[in-house]
């Protein structure tokens, strides 16, 4: 008899955490009343603060008898769960729901499974770097699975549409093994590919992180909602010479296509909200390259970054001696003439909203090249605001996208950025807001492996906001 998802996932939570579920379970279309819950572990669970996030070697040092969570499920159970009608989507949503339920039953706060300051850093527009998040044993096991799946031909090549080096084969030697595509589930969740039990446990581990962020971050509750294709998770492989140009992982609907905010949305539409990466290569040095280069702001934001409902962040007002660093959001639905309905606004530390122009501007202005200089003239009225204004990811002109013009340098176009390079050390977890933080990957000088993913949240319809 195959266990339902609730029972199966419950068996990998700490003993103190419980999940409500019906005693009769639907498994593959059949009602089952006597489900056997397996507890064939050969060692006790760690506490939630240790095992849920899997703080790697730190846990092992404190308790040598505690078994790492990625090795807690047998292949038989993993394949059974996948065979019980649980597609990638159903498994991910069940995992997040169960992790959220477990947190509700615990007396500790949602942030207890995350290092102190995690929520605050993400909301201030900075990246969270957690060294040793996977233990050496866990890291090696995942890396072995990545290598095996790549050798078996389970990966596909990817090239960013805005990458100016499309013809450079070495620069584009980047490969992924995704969890889903437009046609359905991908090889990452295929029970016949590689080490499925390892990937299912890793997925559940990340579901716990997502549930904690949904509970702790301001106005991101829908991170844990039952929304389609929110389990974006994939293996990653960079070949020698591969790199990735500066970009952000999510854009405002209005920046994806003209009048995008007014076009019909598919049911339960979602967007990327939090980006995460796990590095797997052991003994990685500076000369090996492949660093994640973050283009962070020099100062923390005084108001939370990312979005206000569907109004995603598109820029900044740089910090001065009189004002703090302020995120700038785009509202594309103000009252105005047709195709002139866009308005930029900012928020201060108290949460007060302030428009940056007296009337809406033309939507087409969002697609004009020229960077901050053009944007300041067309979108911002007050000269003092215009002097501080900076676009996070300015539209590329033919000249700027050709690669013939040198970039703005480490301080950014407005002087308000600072670069931070993260060495891809084995077992490291990196997380940051998908909208507000531009980043790139420097040239990789030897083969590099990792896991990357994006936690999604709901795209609201206007009546919801």
């Amino acid at each position: 008899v195959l266990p339902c998802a609730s029972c199966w996932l419950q068996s990998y939570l700490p003993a103190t955490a419980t999940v409500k579920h019906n005693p009769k379970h639907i498994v593959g279309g059949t009602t089952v009343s006597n489900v056997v819950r397996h507890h064939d572990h050969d060692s006790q669970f760690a506490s939630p603060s240790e095992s849920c996030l899997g703080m790697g070697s730190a846990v092992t040092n404190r308790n040598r008898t505690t078994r790492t969570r990625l090795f807690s499920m047998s292949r038989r159970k993993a394949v059974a769960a996948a065979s019980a009608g649980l597609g990638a989507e159903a498994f991910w949503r069940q995992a997040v729901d169960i992790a959220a339920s477990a947190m509700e039953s615990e007396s500790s706060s949602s942030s207890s499974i995350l290092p102190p300051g995690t929520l605050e850093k993400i909301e201030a527009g900075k990246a969270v770097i957690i060294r040793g998040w996977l233990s050496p044993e866990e890291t090696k096991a995942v890396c072995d699975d990545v290598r095996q799946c790549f050798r078996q031909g389970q990966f596909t090549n990817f090239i960013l549409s805005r990458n100016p080096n499309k013809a450079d084969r070495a620069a584009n030697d980047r490969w992924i093994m995704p969890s889903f595509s437009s046609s359905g589930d991908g090889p990452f969740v295929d029970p016949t590919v590689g080490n499925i039990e390892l990937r299912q446990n890793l997925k559940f581990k990340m579901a716990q992180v997502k549930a904690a962020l949904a509970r702790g971050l301001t106005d991101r509750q829908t991170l844990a909602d039952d929304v389609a294709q929110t389990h974006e998770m994939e293996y990653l492989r960079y070949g020698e010479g591969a790199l990735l140009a500066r970009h952000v992982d999510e854009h405002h609907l209005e920046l994806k296509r003209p009048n995008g905010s007014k076009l019909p949305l598919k049911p339960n539409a979602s967007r990327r909200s939090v980006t995460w990466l796990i590095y797997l290569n052991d003994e990685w040095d500076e000369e090996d390259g492949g660093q994640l280069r973050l283009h962070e702001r020099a100062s923390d934001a005084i108001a939370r970054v990312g979005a206000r409902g569907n109004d995603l962040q598109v820029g900044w007002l740089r910090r001065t001696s009189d004002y703090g660093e302020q995120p700038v959001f785009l509202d594309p639905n103000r009252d105005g003439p047709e195709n002139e309905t866009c308005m930029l606004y900012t928020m201060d530390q108290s949460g007060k909203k302030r428009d940056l122009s007296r009337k809406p501007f033309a939507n087409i202005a969002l697609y004009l090249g020229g960077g901050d200089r053009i944007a300041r003239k067309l979108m911002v009225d007050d000269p003092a605001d215009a002097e501080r204004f900076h676009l996070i990811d300015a539209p590329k002109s033919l000249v700027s996208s050709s690669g013939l013009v040198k970039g703005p340098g480490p301080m950014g176009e407005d002087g308000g950025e600072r670069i931070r390079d993260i060495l891809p050390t084995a077992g490291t977890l990196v997380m940051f807001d998908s909208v507000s933080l531009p980043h790139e990957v420097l040239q990789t000088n030897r083969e590099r492996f990792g896991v990357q993913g994006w936690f999604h949240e709901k795209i609201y319809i206007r009546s919801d906001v």
Side-chain angles (χ1 to χ4, degrees):
V1 173
L2 298 175
C4 75
S6 297
C7 280
W8 174 71
L9 288 171
Q10 170 70 77
S11 67
Y12 301 104
L13 291 172
T16 57
T18 58
V19 177
K20 295 180 180 179
H21 60 275
N22 195 310
K24 292 189 176 183
H25 311 281
I26 305 299
V27 179
T30 304
T31 302
V32 181
S33 57
N34 295 314
V35 175
V36 177
R37 290 181 57 193
H38 302 283
H39 292 281
D40 56 356
H41 309 293
D42 55 13
S43 60
Q44 70 181 69
F45 282 121
S47 67
S49 61
E50 295 173 342
S51 66
C52 287
L53 191 59
M55 302 303 257
S57 56
V59 175
T60 306
N61 291 337
R62 284 195 297 267
N63 184 355
R64 293 285 179 180
T65 65
T66 299
R67 195 174 181 180
T68 56
R69 290 301 297 268
L70 293 191
F71 303 129
S72 64
M73 175 174 61
S74 71
R75 184 175 186 84
R76 174 177 56 80
K77 293 180 206 172
V79 175
S83 303
L86 283 182
E89 195 64 52
F91 176 90
W92 178 243
R93 288 187 248 168
Q94 281 274 20
V96 174
D97 181 64
I98 289 171
S101 297
M103 289 177 190
E104 291 296 332
S105 70
E106 294 291 317
S107 58
S108 58
S109 67
S110 63
S111 61
S112 63
I113 66 170
L114 299 171
T118 294
L119 305 176
E120 293 79 5
K121 285 181 180 178
I122 292 175
E123 292 191 333
K126 298 297 177 68
V128 176
I129 316 298
I130 308 174
R131 301 290 185 185
W133 189 80
L134 290 185
S135 70
E137 295 80 13
E138 290 173 321
T139 304
K140 182 180 183 304
V142 178
C143 193
D144 287 346
D145 190 45
V146 179
R147 292 177 188 272
Q148 178 187 353
C149 292
F150 183 72
R151 287 194 298 266
Q152 292 176 348
Q154 301 294 340
F155 282 56
T156 56
N157 183 241
F158 78 96
I159 301 176
L160 282 186
S161 60
R162 293 177 62 182
N163 192 332
N165 299 312
K166 293 183 180 66
D168 189 334
R169 293 178 64 87
N172 289 299
D173 189 9
R174 299 184 303 270
W175 300 76
I176 57 173
M177 190 177 92
S179 51
F180 65 80
S181 65
S182 57
S183 59
D185 288 350
F188 190 92
V189 296
D190 188 336
T192 67
V193 173
N195 191 340
I196 184 62
E197 71 272 20
L198 191 73
R199 296 197 300 274
Q200 293 287 59
N201 275 299
L202 179 60
K203 204 164 192 178
F204 184 42
K205 197 171 191 179
M206 295 312 299
Q208 292 173 299
V209 177
K210 183 177 183 181
L213 294 176
R215 189 179 184 192
L217 293 174
T218 304
D219 289 339
R220 300 204 198 195
Q221 295 91 340
T222 64
L223 279 173
D225 269 12
D226 185 16
V227 176
Q229 292 197 336
T230 62
H231 65 282
E232 201 172 359
M233 186 179 203
E234 58 197 25
Y235 279 162
L236 180 69
R237 183 259 183 194
Y238 274 60
E240 184 178 347
L243 53 86
L244 194 60
R246 172 175 168 149
H247 64 285
V248 292
D249 287 340
E250 186 59 276
H251 293 87
H252 198 294
L253 286 173
E254 203 67 23
L255 295 174
K256 292 183 177 182
R257 46 184 170 168
N259 293 312
S261 301
K262 299 173 179 62
L263 297 175
L265 295 173
K266 66 179 182 180
N268 294 321
S270 67
R271 68 167 181 86
R272 292 173 174 177
S273 178
V274 176
T275 299
W276 60 267
L277 306 102
I278 302 172
Y279 297 119
L280 301 175
N281 284 75
D282 200 11
E283 298 180 355
W284 196 273
D285 300 318
E286 293 283 348
E287 56 267 26
D288 294 319
Q291 292 92 338
L292 173 67
R293 172 159 289 182
L294 302 167
H295 295 271
E296 295 178 317
R297 301 299 292 174
S299 303
D300 288 354
I302 62 172
R304 56 185 169 83
V305 305
R308 294 295 189 275
N310 276 0
D311 297 345
L312 269 62
Q313 185 181 350
V314 297
W316 295 96
L317 292 183
R318 188 183 68 252
R319 178 184 176 182
T320 67
S321 57
D322 297 320
Y323 302 98
E325 190 82 17
Q326 294 175 262
V328 174
F329 305 91
L330 170 63
D331 180 354
N333 294 306
R334 294 294 179 91
D335 293 332
E338 186 177 3
N339 297 324
E340 294 183 18
T341 60
C342 288
M343 177 71 73
L344 299 180
Y345 65 89
T346 188
M347 309 291 291
D348 64 18
Q349 199 162 8
S350 67
K352 184 179 179 180
K353 178 178 175 179
R354 179 171 67 87
D355 290 344
L356 298 187
S357 60
R358 291 180 294 277
K359 62 180 182 179
F361 57 84
N363 304 46
I364 192 63
L366 298 167
Y367 290 86
L368 298 177
D372 292 347
R373 181 175 57 85
I374 298 298
R376 290 166 179 169
K377 290 181 178 180
L378 299 177
M379 306 178 192
V380 183
D381 285 350
D382 190 328
D385 287 334
E387 186 178 353
R388 299 172 60 203
F389 181 70
H390 169 65
L391 287 169
I392 292 174
D393 193 29
K396 301 296 188 291
S397 66
L398 290 176
V399 175
S400 64
S401 62
S402 68
L404 298 176
V405 178
K406 192 174 182 180
M411 297 179 69
E413 188 175 352
D414 72 329
E417 291 183 353
R418 297 294 183 272
I419 61 171
R420 180 159 60 127
D421 291 343
I422 309 301
L423 194 69
T425 307
T428 299
L429 171 66
V430 180
M431 293 189 293
F432 52 88
D433 179 78
S434 300
V435 175
S436 63
L437 183 49
H439 54 284
E440 60 184 298
V441 178
L442 304 185
Q443 181 173 310
T444 305
N445 298 323
R446 67 182 177 97
E447 192 175 46
R448 177 167 77 80
F449 297 101
V451 191
Q452 67 180 8
W454 296 268
F455 297 143
H456 283 226
E457 62 176 292
K458 179 181 177 182
I459 297 179
Y460 298 88
I461 60 174
R462 295 191 68 182
S463 60
D464 292 332
V465 179

